[in-house]
Amino acid sequence: MKAVISLVLMLYATAGWAATSAPHDAALETRYRLLISELRCLVCQNESISDSHADLAKDLRNQVRVMMEDGKTDREITDYLVARYGDFVLFRPRFKGTTAALWLGPFILVGLGALVLIYSVVRRRRRAGDVPLTGGEQQRLRSLLQDVQGEGKG
Amino acid sequence: MRARSLIPLGIFAALVALLWAGLYLNPREVPSPLIDKPAPEFVLPQLQDPTRQVGSKDLLGKVTLLNVWASWCAACRDEHPLLVALAKTGRVNIYGLNYKDTRQDALRWLNDLGNPYLVSAFDEQGNVGIDYGVYGVPETYVIDRAGIIRYKVIGPLTEENLRTTVLPLVRKLEG
């Protein structure tokens, strides 16, 4: 990766004579766009630093660009920002102790819901099959059956 | 059977309690990962004398408040009288980090409103601000003798947070 970037940077440097304000190379630009859309702006919180017009977002975009041009990997850049602003700066925070509830919570809730559902369905079905009739119900059943038999004869 | 029928009510009550508590949280206060870590090193020109420098090494040896401020920051104006009063008591060293300001505006501010700072560092580009994870000026860091950040107030100091949190912590760190 580093080799590629330095190659790209070298090419960029040689192109410098042609156009001093030449655009950054496309691969780096794509990486840059992608990364800044993954980073949260702490001022506007629901915006990425790519979308935000806050001053801090501008500074952080600049910082990301400088670090990329220095040949830093995405991981190194996000590590740098997490060390300063915390996991909150990432829209998709890394999985670790403090973020486990965030990542696993929904699955645990769905799992619990499924357990409750299965439990209650099984219970209901079993109850429908197993519960014996009370004395009164037995009597009523018998008299109904007799009525039916009586009608059959008549 | 009766106890079972209370379960949905219990779940509902728990949810209400959770959301109720959420109403009183401030989403703008993002806990800093720098708490209990060494204060990031820096060396910057002094605000009042560009030929001299001030740095993180100057903060060592005493419990210090590092207050991030700027003349363009409205909330800084609210907390400023408190800092001036606190500086007068001499209970704690207060250093300033003048963040993304112009020297002229910052000096006028100190001139007009009083200067509670032993020294203010002049962070014109905001690079030291990034190292300290500054995202909402004013911010105040409580740094112990060994240069470890122990607490961070995000937003203005108030009489209340000084009395209940910052000053007791300073006293404890001075031990």
Side-chain angles (χ1 to χ4, degrees):
Chain A
M1 197 62 207
K2 258 185 188 152
V4 175
I5 291 169
S6 47
L7 179 68
V8 158
L9 286 176
M10 269 188 276
L11 289 174
Y12 174 63
T14 56
W17 58 267
T20 43
S21 60
H24 296 271
D25 77 282
L28 204 66
E29 190 66 27
T30 315
R31 237 184 90 209
Y32 168 73
R33 294 269 158 229
L34 195 67
L35 186 58
I36 59 174
S37 67
E38 288 276 318
L39 297 168
R40 187 198 299 274
C41 170
L42 282 103
V43 180
C44 336
Q45 302 211 336
N46 285 330
E47 277 186 311
S48 68
I49 64 169
S50 164
D51 298 329
S52 176
H53 294 291
D55 238 22
L56 180 68
K58 206 167 65 192
D59 289 352
L60 290 180
R61 282 199 297 269
N62 196 38
Q63 187 70 25
V64 169
R65 187 182 281 281
V66 167
M67 289 178 83
M68 268 190 185
E69 284 167 357
D70 280 351
K72 297 275 198 296
T73 63
D74 288 4
R75 177 83 194 193
E76 284 170 322
I77 296 170
T78 47
D79 280 349
Y80 169 91
L81 290 169
V82 167
R84 284 157 182 75
Y85 295 99
D87 292 307
F88 192 67
V89 77
L90 303 176
F91 276 118
R92 288 184 292 169
R94 292 186 191 130
F95 185 81
K96 57 188 187 187
T98 47
T99 60
L102 189 65
W103 280 109
L104 299 180
F107 299 106
I108 292 173
L109 283 179
V110 168
L112 281 178
L115 281 181
V116 168
L117 186 69
I118 291 168
Y119 176 75
S120 60
V121 165
V122 165
R123 243 181 88 98
R124 194 162 298 173
R125 191 169 291 167
R126 192 177 296 157
R127 201 193 301 166
D130 286 353
V131 176
L133 297 179
T134 61
E137 283 168 342
Q138 291 275 15
Q139 235 167 17
R140 195 153 165 252
L141 177 65
R142 223 172 291 136
S143 72
L144 278 172
L145 282 172
Q146 267 166 8
D147 281 356
V148 172
Q149 281 165 358
E151 269 169 34
K153 277 176 194 161
Chain B
M1 204 58 210
R2 268 183 70 82
R4 272 180 58 89
S5 63
L6 289 177
I7 290 175
L9 187 65
I11 293 175
F12 177 70
L15 195 64
V16 166
L18 188 74
L19 297 177
W20 187 264
L23 284 179
Y24 294 95
L25 293 177
N26 181 358
R28 304 208 69 86
E29 277 185 22
V30 182
S32 171
L34 290 168
I35 305 296
D36 293 330
K37 302 247 169 65
E41 286 182 20
F42 70 90
V43 177
L44 282 172
Q46 295 188 7
L47 172 65
Q48 289 172 298
D49 183 355
T51 62
R52 292 171 64 194
Q53 290 188 319
V54 57
S56 45
K57 289 209 172 64
D58 297 311
L59 308 182
L60 297 175
K62 277 207 77 175
V63 180
T64 310
L65 299 186
L66 180 65
N67 177 246
V68 186
W69 66 282
S71 65
W72 46 260
C73 146
C76 298
R77 198 169 272 268
D78 294 339
E79 70 168 11
H80 199 76
L82 286 170
L83 283 169
V84 172
L86 182 61
K88 277 203 185 114
T89 67
R91 284 169 66 182
V92 59
N93 280 352
I94 308 173
Y95 281 82
L97 180 67
N98 181 236
Y99 176 72
K100 300 198 74 169
D101 212 341
T102 68
R103 188 165 253 129
Q104 195 189 350
D105 289 343
L107 288 174
R108 193 189 307 139
W109 159 289
L110 292 183
N111 211 24
D112 293 350
L113 300 172
N115 182 3
Y117 308 108
L118 282 177
V119 179
S120 272
F122 185 57
D123 186 19
E124 192 172 14
Q125 304 299 321
N127 289 330
V128 173
I130 290 182
D131 277 343
Y132 275 77
V134 171
Y135 66 90
V137 192
E139 293 186 4
T140 305
Y141 296 80
V142 181
I143 301 173
D144 73 7
R145 288 195 181 110
I148 311 288
I149 294 177
R150 291 302 181 185
Y151 190 70
K152 174 183 180 185
V153 181
I154 296 158
L157 293 168
T158 60
E159 269 175 40
E160 202 201 338
N161 63 24
L162 273 179
R163 181 167 43 83
T164 59
T165 317
V166 176
L167 291 177
L169 178 64
V170 167
R171 224 170 296 140
K172 199 180 116 201
L173 291 173
E174 277 169 348

